Amino acid sequence: MHFRDASYTRPKRISRYLAMPLYEYQPLRRNEIRLLELQSWDANPLWLLIQIRHVSLSEANDTYEALSYVWGEATVMRRIYCGPATYLMMAPNLWAALHRCRWRSKSRWLWVDSLCINQNDLAERGSQVALMRQIYECAKNTVVHLGLEANNSPLALAFLNDIAKRCKEKMEAEDVELQARRPQILANPIYEDDPELSEGKMRLEEQLMFQRCAESLGSSSEELFSSFNHEETQRALVALLARPWFQRAWVIQEFVVAKGVIMYCGNDILQWDSILIAFCYAFPAAKVTWDAVATGTLKMNFHCGVEQMVEMHSMHSKFKDLQESPGRHIRPRLLILASNCRRSKATFGVDKLYSLYGLSSDFSRVTPDYKKSEEEAYIEYAKYLIKKGDGNQALYQAAIADQRLRGLPSWIPDWGSIPSRMNFGDQWSKTSGWLFNAGGKQSASGPKPTLIVNGRTLITKGYIMQKIATVGNTNISESQTPNLDHFVEIFRDSTIFQGSGKAYPTGEKWATVMEGIFESDQFRDRTDTSSWENLEAMDAMLQPELQSVDRKDADFIRGVVRILKEEDPVGIRNMARSIRGRSFAVTDKGYAGLVPTKTKVGDTVCILRGLAVPFILREERPYYTLIGDCYIHGMMQGEMLDIHQATAIRLQ
């Protein structure tokens, strides 16, 4: 491997350390990266010492490891010394990570984003981000640093490593039987002339074996926690999975393309598979709940961490399939990746796109460019989606999150904003058995949206339906988890509406109308959210807030919800997802439904031609502002299209 840059000379006196100049980055050549050689503990136990070398990425394969960590706060910066006789500054999280990665007696070659990329050179940042997938793909390992020991993390890691060991023992016993059955499994003639297909079949059998062994660990909660204190261990696990690493946008790609993963937490090492075994199989099988060990922000961070972990594992499996059988698999679009990972967090909102760019099929068309403002990057990507025919998805994504960026057109998704509502546009309807059909049948033969971009304005065709006449309580929480008070407020507002004595415009019974509204007519046997939410939605949604309800009828409310949870858990899940970030509203024609909490009296319900759901728009002549999507009972299946005339809608 050919290196560039001067060799390192270690200073002999501490005074020389303090007088050193700042390291000056030299320009990188095309497809070149920097690697740092982390000097051993024996080289100098007092200081972190590195050499920075330039190397061609094509020559560096399997010669280094790539670090994955959370940058964290940079309020107190630390020095790292690099040759010849210079230094760089770094945040405390990286300082701790490098200390943990340092070997006792030999150097360790690493790629570390904040040091190996000149962060002050925007052009270099963009070009190196474009190589990030290849950088982590070429590394022999991705080294994850979760942070220092804290909140009983050694107990959490001991438990996870223990169940990984138990699962491995079970798999070794079953593997003997599986290999004995191999000739029988592959006896089908279709496998004889296709080695790739036969190997795929065996991998599937191994995956099923892994799942069986992992689930068998959860035959009972007592057996699962057999040699550990149940509650203490759960608290430690919640704190571990609530750590920021599990929610960061950049770590998704870093993990997905990794050849191998080494996870450090304090002085301990964690096996990635152990997290998967526990949270995807053993805990659900044992019906483990988390209500007693976490509430509020901690619980939400925990659930978001587990949700992203499950999504990352799924993406890793698909990426591996793509590498092994490129002809049978295709890369997902950036739109799909960004939508699925939108709850992830990043210091710069645009990195929630750039961090996934290398995993997508759009990698040659969407180029990271840090010279552009965040607003410019979002506008350019939205125009690209419309040009590709994905304008409907751009509008759905814009509709489910409130914008942070002032001045960004309302029809353009603010990818840096975490969604406050579920996406009705991609939801399966119980009535249709497919998507909603508010703007026409959602099929190849159905109407297509007409979307024309004129500067910052989106011109489309739509149906101005009705005005919002009444909006319920809009001071309810917009957190990712609706609390029970949220449900009570919406239930109270709907009860007042029912008590008006008027028949519903569709002629349906009130019980049918309210069920449709509260569950937003969700399909009962399918959800497009993460597998973790599917497994643990009840635990993640209303239940954590039961103890915090402060009302005279609190005990009665808790009792009702517990009964509903037992008798109709799917209904509770659907309701919790539907009401998040929404209020109850009634139109001037007597139609009712769920609207974004920022909806005001006088806002317009509009159906855009070819789109699945209605939207709330605010008229600011001659334009409209997109407030969000909505569920209005009686408008979701195209019932209104024959009685209204399409007109031009200008969104800004």
Side-chain angles (χ1 to χ4, degrees), residues 41-282:
W41 183 275
D42 290 342
N44 191 318
L46 296 178
W47 309 98
L48 281 176
L49 307 175
I50 63 171
Q51 295 184 59
I52 295 180
R53 303 286 184 86
H54 289 208
V55 60
S56 168
L57 182 56
S58 60
E59 296 179 11
N61 190 38
D62 281 339
T63 64
Y64 65 94
E65 296 170 290
L67 185 64
S68 178
Y69 67 106
V70 175
W71 281 32
E73 296 294 328
T75 51
V76 180
M77 299 295 284
R78 308 293 293 267
R79 279 192 177 195
I80 187 169
Y81 296 97
C82 47
T86 57
Y87 73 92
L88 284 168
M89 301 300 291
M90 59 183 175
N93 277 8
L94 177 55
W95 189 85
L98 291 178
H99 264 284
R100 179 62 182 87
C101 290
R102 193 160 55 149
W103 284 334
R104 170 62 66 180
S105 59
K106 65 177 182 177
S107 298
R108 190 172 191 175
W109 287 96
L110 296 170
W111 186 87
V112 181
D113 56 0
S114 65
L115 298 179
C116 294
I117 299 175
N118 183 357
Q119 300 297 326
N120 294 321
D121 185 334
L122 298 183
E124 181 180 301
R125 275 175 61 188
S127 63
Q128 289 287 287
V129 164
L131 293 174
M132 287 274 276
R133 190 204 80 216
Q134 294 165 265
I135 291 171
Y136 278 87
E137 204 173 357
C138 288
K140 57 185 174 183
N141 285 308
T142 291
V143 179
V144 176
H145 187 255
L146 296 176
L148 299 173
E149 178 181 319
N151 301 311
N152 217 354
S153 56
L155 174 62
L157 269 66
F159 172 79
L160 291 170
N161 288 332
D162 178 70
I163 64 170
K165 179 183 176 182
R166 283 189 273 163
C167 185
K168 182 180 179 181
E169 291 170 352
K170 288 176 177 287
M171 287 181 64
E172 287 174 349
E174 282 208 19
D175 190 54
V176 174
E177 180 186 348
L178 177 63
Q179 296 307 321
R181 291 193 298 113
R182 183 184 178 98
Q184 180 183 350
I185 294 172
L186 301 179
N188 193 312
I190 65 172
Y191 299 120
E192 291 180 1
D193 300 322
D194 194 336
E196 187 177 317
L197 193 59
S198 63
E199 287 304 312
K201 174 63 175 175
M202 289 306 298
R203 281 199 302 272
L204 176 60
E205 292 293 331
E206 289 168 359
Q207 290 169 4
L208 293 173
M209 178 183 70
F210 170 75
Q211 181 175 336
R212 286 194 305 272
C213 292
E215 288 177 341
S216 69
L217 296 172
S219 57
S220 70
S221 184
E222 292 74 17
E223 181 179 342
L224 183 58
F225 292 93
S226 57
S227 56
F228 294 84
N229 179 286
H230 194 151
E231 183 175 330
E232 188 180 2
T233 303
Q234 278 195 265
R235 291 187 186 279
L237 289 167
V238 167
L240 179 69
L241 270 295
R243 291 191 180 216
W245 186 88
F246 290 97
Q247 297 180 59
R248 302 302 293 177
W250 276 111
V251 307
I252 297 171
Q253 178 176 245
E254 296 165 4
F255 169 82
V256 167
V257 303
K259 294 174 183 174
V261 178
I262 301 171
M263 302 188 78
Y264 294 140
C265 183
N267 292 324
D268 298 304
I269 297 178
L270 176 64
Q271 300 175 52
W272 173 266
D273 280 354
S274 67
I275 305 177
L276 184 70
I277 292 166
F279 287 95
C280 290
Y281 302 110

